[in-house]
Amino acid sequence: MEKEDLKVLNKGEEEEMELQGYRLCRWRVALVGLGVLCTGGFLLLLLYWMPEWCVKSTCTRTTARDAEVVLLRSTDEFRRWFLARVRVMLAPGSNPFHSLETRTTSPSPSSPSCPFSSPHLANGHNLNPSDGGPAQELIRKFADYQPTQIRYFTFHSTTYYWIDGVQNFGVLNGLGDLQVSCSTLHSEHSLGLTRNQQEYRRLFFGVNEIAVKVPSVFKLLIKEVLNPFYIFQLFSVILWSADEYYYYAVAILFMSVISIATSLYTIKKQYIMLHDMVATHSTVRVSVCRANNEIEEILSTDLVPGDVMVIPSNGTIMPCDAVLVSGTCIVNESMLTGESVPVTKINLPNPLPGEMGEETDCVYSTEEHKRHTLFCGTNVIQTRFYTGDLVKAVVVSTGFSTAKGQLVRSILYPKPTDFKLYRDAYLFLLCLVAIAGIGFVYSIVLSVLNKVSAKTIIIESLDIITITVPPALPAAMTAGIVYAQRRLKRLGIFCISPQRINICGQLNLVCFDKTGTLTEDGLDLWGVQRVENGSFHPSEENAYKENLVKSQFVACMATCHSLTKIEGQLSGDPLDLKMFEAIGWILEEATEEETSLHNRIMPTVVRPPKQLLPPQPAASPEQDMELYALSSAYEIGIVRQFPFSSALQRMCVVARLLGEKRMDAYTKGAPEVVASLCKKDTVPDDFAEVLEGYTKQGFRVIALAHRRLESKLTWHKVQNINRDHIEANMEFLGLIIMQNKLKAETPAVLQDLHRASIRTVMVTGDNMLTAISVARDCGMIAPRDTVIIADALPPHDGQAAKITWRYADKPSKTSRMEDVNISLDDVCHVDEPKTEKKELYHFAMNGKSFAIISEHFPDMLQKLVLHGTVFARMAPDQKTQLIEALQGVDYFVGMCGDGANDCGALKRAHGGISLSELEASVASPFTSRTPNISCVPNLIKEGRAALITSFCVFKFMALYSIIQYISVTLLYSILSNLGDFQFLFIDIAIILLIVFTMSLNPAWKELVSRRPPSGLISGPLLFSVLTQILICLGFQTITFLWVRQQSWYTVWTPLTDVCNVSSHTNVSEHNDTEVDDHNIQNYENTSLFYVSSFQYLVVAIVFSKGKPFRQPSYKNWPFMLSALSLYVFLLFIMFYPVKGIDDFLEIVCVPFEWKIKLFIIILVNASVSVVAEGCIDLRAYKCLSRLCCPSKITPKARYMHLAQELRVDPDWPPKPTTTTEAKSCPANGSNYQIMINS
């Protein structure tokens, strides 16, 4: 049953989870309750931290269908556990999309049309009264219906319902669940819902709101305090109070309170920010169409999928995702895309069965029909409508199912940051706990042998644990990240995920968007090259000429765009703006009054300036002035617009010249695509050469085409025609050449990254050859390097998918490709001398090829990303897939984009940096105020400094706890301990002061090729820590044994004065006069206190590393000042005792000659520590690297392993004469074969 009833939720999606059903067991609950009482509530805490234990200890397994509690486990690498309570609600039906009014009988549970059918029996469940409440009124309305029980649970703001048809829980997203076609949306869903249908659907889809509830301070406090580390601190404070260590207990309590308060403030602030961002559309009044043609005004929170919403003419902020079924809207989508350019949305086409083929009537999909969909949170600026028909949109999804809801969910419930440092930190803590366990047993045995009271045994043995695991560790570890965050802020880089700063120190590959990131945002018109009679004219600087004003080329530039006027200003895509401004024409749009008075949409009109038009003959007196003005005018009206589609890589308009009966179609887009739509005789023979010439120089080229439409195509037919019927048999008009300049900082930054052995990759939506040219210009691809383009073709006519390989251009110097050097410098971090400069190669591919290779050549994809440098024509989701593919071969990936279409990739990368300060940067961990890529090396430098700081602090805190552990263990052997104020002085004055100042070292001024280690469990780091532990142990043991061998040594009493020799005779008389309860004051304690205090300072200086990742410690003046002050103070109280200080620290007076000996011990200890660490830095790095990963052993990182394999592969890289075909049945583990073309 275990395996059979393991359900998988969200299969194949990012949030895929395994589900197991459980039923509450009363006797188990009672037993756990007893356990909670016996353990003083500790068992309850343990079950709170471990959901799996909680469910398994209180419940028994059952089927998912009958479950009262479900146990969920994520299928990603983190394998996290969650639990959710299954609830039951009563509803008059089981399918939200059924129309209750049309049904005459109660629903049959076995009916296939009822996917949410449930048995009518309660199955032993108590119905949830709060959930049943809203349904009661509906049930009374539909008395003929038998109430149905709906079983569901809520997890991460998503409701999962039990679906009988698939015997699993599933999510209700909205109209998308019905897989409706475009024509069905128009015919069946554009009339609206009745009030009863709306209320019925709301039972399932809930209130339409993205509820980011800001938790109360009390709730946050309870959640924060129940953190395992704070519980450990609470345990420590109670223990120290029992042992009368009140001062230190209060100090730790004070630190904890400050830490909790800071954490609560930060969390609360983030919740409020997110709540405010989401609340902009939370409740607005909207007009909806009812099924009886009434318009009703309701609150947006009442909207459900299927409602028909009327978009007001003055615009609104969309409260849901909806598809336009009539009218046109101009929308600002910066909330989702990061691009503030207004986008024109047109109504969803309604293919009529008589006119169109069935293949055009596809299933509606939010992704495929983006240009017809209004997304939640986006701002509708203005609408276009005409008499008798309002601008209407059918609600597709509401609440957290919307695009904005998904974005908010990803922020509310982020994936945990998987980083080796944090995993190793827990392992290191476990090691400290193991050491504490040894001390725990040792202290118990010692105390029992010395017949110490039971209370003292318990307190002192538990005290060892609190000493070994330092309670100040979290605060110390956070300090370095907080300082790095402050330094980044000064550099203009803002961070919303501080834990990612450390991960940025490991980045070894950075992906860059091209336009707006590597190059300037705007495009300048470089020139035009017209085509006439199938051949190119010489290139011209511009088209602002009298002889061209009435040409089809200029008409295409004037009409084929998505520009609109907002408050009198032209607005739209920057490329369209530059193109339109270059011809100097005027654009006029119909006003609201004009559109509402006419039965048809008044077209947008464009006209040339009067000075460009040839002079007209003067009007004769008898000629009607109005007719004369009409005949002399030259205007083009834009009748229909097919907006730019990134999938089709083109846009198209249908326009009509004033006075003409026939209409014209104009298309502009990617040259290769536009040329394929044109008649072959109109495309020049040298088209490919001319295009390649421009793209190699880095120009962005756009092609224009025109077609005279048939006279039978009326205005009405044009409004419903499919664009494929128009975009065919066109005439090629020529090319527009746009220049996209590199940003001044780009080449230097990329050079810095290359010097630091950080790979750079370009991911762009632009043309392939333009991208390769920009990559060469900016230094991403060296001039001598070969670029191999991978062109993939999907399976066709029974043939397997295949990749053809070709060179983008011939390198200046040819060499045998078998000698390609795949750099393995990263392996074991050893810098090997390069004997000869060998030619490198780079792969380039477009989004289409990337998709085919991902699907049909998964093994090949891993090899291609190893040297893939240019990825062109990439869709937003493909950018995210590329990031995942790079992470799949163990790269630490950074992503830098301007926010437009890069949201998914920025969020998925280890370190995503948005150059846009728009709301889309909410998805990015880092946002730069500097709009160029100079922020990337700054972030990596600060990441490396923060990472090294984390290592330094962790090593120092580990040594601090071990040094104190050694001192206490040695003193326990004589039934002594460190005093309360000695602990206080060490922990507050030395440790906290040092740990908070040693983290202040700024980043090193330049990036080096060496990367810091990614984890604590690495050879050099462990060797360093172990060496220092042994040194400290040795010198403390020597001190402890040597003091007892001194001639003046005796058991100390309050009257003992070894500083004054004359009093020696009276020692025996006063031995038993006054006894110290805790036996703190003795010579061993004083000697160990001095030596250990200096040891803390020595290891702090030894571990505070500078170059090559941080500035040297002598430049960190707060740290140097703190360390020197403590050295001076300790030497002062050692050589010049002050009675008040000695009494406070419970130090006893020792002879001067012993102080000199202690000083020598301290000096030798410091020298040995410094020399040992220096030797580890110089020698151990390379020696341990060779020991840990000799050349025969496969490197840990997958990309290094692949590079080793490819270095000996004779068929790699593929030659330009080869084709790689996918195999249907992989024989030897490979899913492709290379064939040489004859």
Side-chain angles (χ1 to χ4, degrees), residues 305-603:
D307 265 327
V308 175
M309 181 181 166
V310 177
I311 313 293
S313 57
N314 59 344
T316 181
I317 289 185
M318 286 300 293
C320 58
D321 284 359
V323 58
L324 264 180
V325 286
S326 67
T328 310
C329 291
I330 294 157
V331 187
N332 183 337
E333 291 191 325
S334 63
M335 169 63 217
L336 291 178
T337 64
E339 196 155 0
S340 55
V341 174
V343 182
T344 303
K345 301 277 184 172
I346 56 170
N347 59 304
L348 187 75
N350 183 12
L352 301 171
E355 291 179 17
M356 303 296 133
E358 283 184 25
E359 73 278 355
T360 57
D361 189 14
C362 55
V363 170
Y364 169 77
S365 147
T366 327
E367 194 59 42
E368 280 179 37
H369 297 90
K370 268 184 179 175
R371 60 184 183 276
H372 312 294
T373 307
L374 303 170
F375 293 101
C376 178
T378 60
N379 187 7
V380 177
I381 302 165
Q382 63 186 44
T383 62
R384 298 277 167 76
F385 61 98
Y386 46 93
T387 279
D389 203 352
L390 300 164
V391 178
K392 295 178 188 175
V394 178
V395 177
V396 177
S397 51
T398 56
F400 278 101
S401 297
T402 61
K404 184 175 180 178
Q406 296 293 347
L407 175 67
V408 173
R409 277 183 73 241
S410 68
I411 298 166
L412 277 175
Y413 311 106
K415 268 190 172 183
T417 309
D418 180 37
F419 190 42
K420 201 167 182 289
L421 170 69
Y422 304 122
R423 295 201 303 271
D424 288 356
Y426 287 115
L427 281 173
F428 215 91
L429 279 174
L430 284 173
C431 293
L432 290 178
V433 169
I435 294 167
I438 296 164
F440 179 75
V441 173
Y442 163 80
S443 66
I444 289 174
V445 170
L446 205 67
S447 300
V448 169
L449 290 174
N450 286 285
K451 294 176 182 173
V452 177
S453 67
K455 183 193 172 188
T456 311
I457 290 173
I458 292 164
I459 289 171
E460 292 198 342
S461 54
L462 290 173
D463 203 21
I464 280 275
I465 297 169
T466 64
I467 287 165
T468 319
V469 184
L473 184 63
M477 290 290 281
T478 308
I481 294 170
V482 169
Y483 296 148
Q485 199 173 355
R486 273 171 46 194
R487 287 195 296 270
L488 283 172
K489 198 171 180 181
R490 282 200 292 271
L491 291 167
I493 300 168
F494 297 90
C495 173
I496 59 165
S497 178
Q499 295 301 325
R500 296 272 186 125
I501 297 173
N502 272 343
I503 301 174
C504 287
Q506 278 295 305
L507 295 184
N508 54 2
L509 185 147
V510 184
C511 294
F512 293 96
D513 178 42
K514 184 180 79 70
T515 312
T517 304
L518 296 172
T519 60
E520 295 290 351
D521 209 0
L523 288 161
D524 297 315
L525 185 77
W526 181 85
V528 297
Q529 191 153 10
R530 293 181 299 118
V531 168
E532 271 184 23
N533 304 321
S535 60
F536 278 113
H537 277 256
S539 61
E540 298 161 273
E541 203 173 311
N542 61 50
Y544 187 78
K545 294 174 183 175
E546 278 187 33
N547 62 326
L548 295 180
V549 73
K550 292 190 177 183
S551 67
Q552 295 292 3
F553 188 90
V554 170
C556 186
M557 288 177 76
T559 56
C560 200
H561 53 71
S562 57
L563 300 177
T564 185
K565 274 195 171 175
I566 296 169
E567 294 175 1
Q569 289 288 315
L570 267 182
S571 184
D573 186 273
L575 186 145
D576 287 349
L577 267 173
K578 285 281 179 191
M579 184 182 75
F580 192 73
E581 284 167 5
I583 54 168
W585 281 41
I586 299 148
L587 181 137
E588 284 182 3
E589 288 181 329
T591 62
E592 273 182 40
E593 292 76 20
E594 286 173 320
T595 54
S596 60
L597 290 170
H598 293 76
N599 284 334
R600 295 174 176 177
I601 294 176
M602 286 284 287

Side-chain angles (χ1 to χ4, degrees), residues 647 649 764 768 788-795 801-806 843-858 860-862 864-865 870-875 878 881-882 1220:
Q649 295 176 24
T764 177
M768 167 84 76
I788 305 168
I789 296 178
D791 285 323
L793 297 167
K802 61 180 180 180
I803 308 167
T804 51
W805 309 94
R806 61 185 172 94
F843 287 110
M845 70 187 79
N846 59 26
K848 191 175 158 190
S849 296
F850 178 80
I852 295 163
I853 293 167
S854 300
E855 187 180 348
H856 300 284
F857 303 87
M860 175 70 80
L861 183 67
Q862 291 198 335
L864 288 176
V865 295
V870 175
F871 295 86
R873 298 281 189 226
M874 296 285 275
Q878 287 175 331
Q881 286 162 19
L882 175 64
T1220 306

Side-chain angles (χ1 to χ4, degrees), residues 702-762:
I702 290 140
L704 307 182
H706 160 257
R707 177 185 161 195
R708 200 82 194 270
L709 296 177
E710 301 81 12
S711 55
K712 65 176 184 180
L713 276 175
T714 61
W715 183 91
H716 180 72
K717 283 181 179 176
V718 164
Q719 295 308 315
N720 294 302
I721 199 166
N722 190 291
R723 70 189 291 172
D724 295 341
H725 291 262
I726 289 174
E727 296 171 333
N729 296 318
M730 304 195 90
E731 286 180 25
F732 193 76
L733 293 177
L735 305 171
I736 297 175
I737 300 106
M738 313 290 282
Q739 193 174 22
N740 194 197
K741 293 174 188 169
L742 275 179
K743 287 185 179 176
E745 303 81 5
T746 298
V749 170
L750 294 179
Q751 199 177 353
D752 286 350
L753 294 174
H754 287 166
R755 272 202 298 265
S757 300
I758 295 167
R759 258 189 74 191
T760 52
V761 171
M762 187 191 292

Side-chain angles (χ1 to χ4, degrees), residues 158-300:
T158 304
T159 306
Y160 294 82
Y161 291 92
W162 176 256
I163 308 169
D164 254 4
V166 292
Q167 287 292 297
N168 198 357
F169 284 94
V171 184
L172 280 174
N173 290 310
L175 278 189
D177 298 336
L178 291 178
Q179 299 281 297
V180 285
S181 65
C182 298
S183 58
T184 311
L185 254 171
H186 277 280
S187 59
E188 294 178 20
H189 296 276
S190 61
L191 299 171
L193 304 174
T194 63
R195 284 192 193 88
N196 287 340
Q197 281 177 318
Q198 190 192 49
E199 285 174 33
Y200 173 54
R201 283 190 188 183
R202 205 180 312 130
L203 286 177
F204 294 90
F205 292 104
V207 176
N208 173 35
E209 63 176 351
I210 300 169
V212 179
K213 289 175 184 164
V214 180
S216 66
V217 174
F218 180 73
K219 271 187 181 177
L220 283 173
L221 180 68
I222 295 298
K223 197 176 177 183
E224 191 68 19
V225 168
L226 292 180
N227 180 305
F229 221 94
Y230 286 125
I231 296 296
F232 176 69
Q233 284 185 331
L234 184 67
F235 161 74
S236 304
V237 166
I238 293 165
L239 183 70
W240 293 326
S241 301
D243 200 20
E244 296 172 13
Y245 287 178
Y246 298 120
Y247 296 103
Y248 188 48
V250 168
I252 285 293
L253 196 64
F254 179 69
M255 270 172 56
S256 299
V257 167
I258 288 175
S259 175
I260 289 168
T262 310
S263 184
L264 287 186
Y265 173 76
T266 310
I267 295 167
K268 182 96 174 170
K269 191 178 170 186
Q270 283 177 346
Y271 267 112
I272 290 168
M273 272 175 67
L274 191 58
H275 177 268
D276 291 348
M277 184 193 93
V278 171
T280 49
H281 77 282
S282 57
T283 311
V284 289
R285 295 202 76 83
V286 292
S287 297
V288 291
C289 297
R290 289 284 172 230
N292 53 5
N293 289 329
E294 280 181 18
I295 304 287
E296 185 186 347
E297 200 174 84
I298 61 167
L299 287 173
S300 60

